[in-house]
């Protein structure tokens, strides 16, 4: 199995930015598509953004449009999520995932990372 390890979570003030990173083993040999999800306290896990590692335009869910940017660093074998203008509603555990097929749905997830906590205070 592909091993996923997230990093970059933490506590920030509203309006600040944060960059999450997900390091994946077997980055391009077995992984075609990856995405970011999050789960807020008492809420269902939701998809935020996905990207095909072979190229193509990223896809963003409404919760991530205009404020979040997903990107890949092939040299470092990481998948990143740049988040800006954070609000307390963004407080959640953030997960990276391998997707097959390349769809931002829970049913498409074949591997989860362990998650990283993001806390935004007002």
């Amino acid at each position: 199995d592909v091993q996923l390890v997230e990093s970059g979570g933490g506590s920030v003030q509203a309006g600040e930015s944060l960059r999450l990173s997900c390091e994946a083993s077997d980055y391009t040999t077995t992984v075609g598509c990856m995405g970011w999800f999050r789960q807020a306290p008492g809420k269902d896990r939701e998809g935020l953004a996905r990207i095909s590692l072979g190229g193509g335009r990223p896809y963003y869910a409404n919760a991530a449009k205009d404020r979040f940017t997903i990107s890949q660093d092939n040299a470092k074998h990481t998948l990143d999520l740049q988040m800006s203008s954070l609000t307390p509603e963004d407080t959640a555990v953030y997960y990276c995932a391998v997707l097959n097929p390349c769809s931002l749905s829970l049913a498409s997830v074949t591997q989860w990372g362990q998650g990283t906590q993001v806390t935004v205070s007002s």
Side-chain angles (χ1 to χ4, degrees):
D1 288 346
V2 175
Q3 302 299 313
L4 305 175
V5 179
E6 298 99 333
S7 61
S11 297
V12 296
Q13 297 289 318
E16 294 185 342
S17 299
L18 205 59
R19 188 177 186 89
L20 306 181
S21 187
C22 174
E23 185 172 358
S25 62
D26 293 336
Y27 183 65
T28 57
T29 58
T30 60
V31 175
C33 179
M34 295 183 68
W36 283 97
F37 294 73
R38 70 182 180 187
Q39 187 164 20
K43 294 188 177 181
D44 294 333
R45 194 170 297 190
E46 64 173 342
L48 296 172
R50 61 158 174 84
I51 188 169
S52 173
L53 301 185
R57 183 177 297 179
Y59 171 83
Y60 295 94
N62 287 337
K65 285 180 180 177
D66 301 325
R67 296 189 301 124
F68 294 0
T69 301
I70 189 172
S71 62
Q72 59 188 92
D73 186 325
N74 291 332
K76 297 181 180 179
H77 290 188
T78 61
L79 177 77
D80 298 333
L81 186 69
Q82 178 68 43
M83 305 184 294
S84 61
S85 301
L86 289 165
T87 73
E89 288 67 38
D90 294 313
T91 294
V93 179
Y94 285 70
Y95 300 89
C96 67
V98 176
L99 303 172
N100 188 16
C102 195
S103 171
L104 197 62
S105 70
L106 296 178
S108 297
V109 175
T110 61
Q111 187 70 32
W112 291 103
Q114 84 286 356
T116 186
Q117 177 70 46
V118 172
T119 302
V120 185
S121 56
S122 57

